[in-house]
Amino acid sequence: MSGHSKWHTIKHKKGAADAKRGKVFTRIIKELTVAARNGGGDPEMNPRLRTIIAEAKSVNMPSDNIKKAIQRGTGELPGVNYEEVVYEGYGPGGAAVIIEALTDNRNRTVGELRHMLEKHAGNLASTNAVAWMFSKKGLIVVEKAKADEEKLLSIALEAGADDMSDDGDNWEVLSDPGTFEAVRDAVKASGVEPASAQVAMLPQNYVKLTGAPASQMIRLMDALDDHEDVKQVWSNFDIEEKEIEASLA
């Protein structure tokens, strides 16, 4: 697993994500609006919308909030017009960074993200500068204590997963993005709640960071994660777990 995934897992364990529920709600509302606008407001006919609704329910978002966000997307209610934008760049130590954003003002967002990267020893790059280093995959992370290896592997493969790997305290189930939803639902139906489940941009190679660059990278990830327009950040850095925990302490 990349340092990026370790960072999210450790942050989740520490409960840091709970302290930012407002940010999570804002991101999900934007995603619901965009998904409904692009694919319609019926979750049965819109797989992306269905996935985001499931995420909204998992963080206890009120049903009324979900409904209104969808209605803003379909045009039944007035609302802000968000667009999806992907930015690429480099972080400390030359680590590649992909930033997925939902914004109503491209100029504001790109200016703020450029400043943020430069402040943390990185820089914004052109389109496709780093995207070629990543592959889009369904990624389901399950804590070992919550699942039997053989049972989980059997359920995942039967549902369409490609592979399952051992990453210390976790199992990582990989799939094609097209079968991700079926694999995730099968894992959950077996009574196993994943630590995380998402379609991810997984790096093909990693950049090892230690010392000052590692600390700078964690601060950059934290800053990007806090930005109201940022939906998700992917990176190919690899930092030891103890260094990540020390930075988040």
Side-chain angles (χ1 to χ4, degrees):
M1 192 201 297
S2 69
H4 165 259
S5 297
K6 288 178 187 171
W7 178 78
H8 272 293
T9 303
I10 293 166
K11 198 170 184 183
H12 179 75
K13 283 180 181 177
K14 286 179 173 288
D18 296 335
K20 296 176 180 174
R21 176 165 291 188
K23 162 75 194 304
V24 173
F25 275 22
T26 299
R27 174 184 59 77
I28 291 175
I29 284 171
K30 289 181 180 180
E31 287 198 68
L32 287 167
T33 301
V34 171
R37 186 185 72 216
N38 293 342
D42 182 0
E44 293 302 316
M45 303 297 292
N46 187 339
R48 181 182 174 190
L49 181 62
R50 189 163 63 242
T51 295
I52 302 165
I53 289 173
E55 183 183 359
K57 289 179 177 178
S58 75
V59 295
N60 300 315
M61 179 178 282
S63 297
D64 194 47
N65 292 33
I66 297 173
K67 181 180 178 182
K68 286 180 179 177
I70 294 170
Q71 288 176 328
R72 282 193 289 271
T74 58
E76 296 170 74
L77 289 177
V80 177
N81 187 24
Y82 296 107
E83 60 177 322
E84 297 176 282
V85 192
V86 178
Y87 301 101
E88 300 178 36
Y90 296 93
V97 179
I98 296 177
I99 305 166
E100 297 177 5
L102 289 162
T103 179
D104 60 345
N105 187 326
R106 277 180 178 243
N107 290 335
R108 181 200 67 224
T109 302
V110 71
E112 291 176 355
L113 294 181
R114 179 182 288 110
H115 173 72
M116 197 173 286
L117 282 162
E118 290 173 354
K119 181 181 177 182
H120 294 87
N123 62 277
L124 207 58
S126 58
T127 302
N128 294 324
V130 303
W132 61 273
M133 303 180 193
F134 296 78
S135 300
K136 185 175 280 191
K137 292 281 187 181
L139 173 65
I140 299 167
V141 179
V142 176
E143 293 174 39
K144 284 186 176 179
K146 293 185 177 181
D148 174 76
E149 179 182 8
E150 287 189 16
K151 183 181 176 184
L152 179 62
L153 178 60
S154 174
I155 290 167
L157 292 177
E158 191 173 327
D162 295 331
D163 192 16
M164 188 173 89
S165 59
D166 182 337
D167 186 64
D169 295 333
N170 303 298
W171 302 116
E172 286 191 335
V173 179
L174 296 174
S175 69
D176 182 87
T179 59
F180 162 73
E181 190 178 357
V183 176
R184 180 203 61 203
D185 290 349
V187 170
K188 286 189 172 185
S190 72
V192 175
E193 188 60 36
S196 68
Q198 60 192 321
V199 175
M201 293 295 287
L202 300 182
Q204 297 168 16
N205 295 292
Y206 299 96
V207 175
K208 183 75 175 177
L209 298 180
T210 59
S215 298
Q216 285 178 315
M217 191 72 220
I218 294 301
R219 287 197 294 272
L220 172 61
M221 291 292 293
D222 225 13
L224 289 170
D225 204 41
D226 279 347
H227 193 284
E228 63 176 8
D229 294 339
V230 173
K231 169 188 166 185
Q232 185 61 270
V233 185
W234 310 105
S235 181
N236 66 346
F237 69 82
D238 185 19
I239 300 173
E240 290 295 329
E241 208 163 299
K242 61 184 179 183
E243 285 201 69
I244 297 175
E245 290 184 331
S247 295
L248 291 174

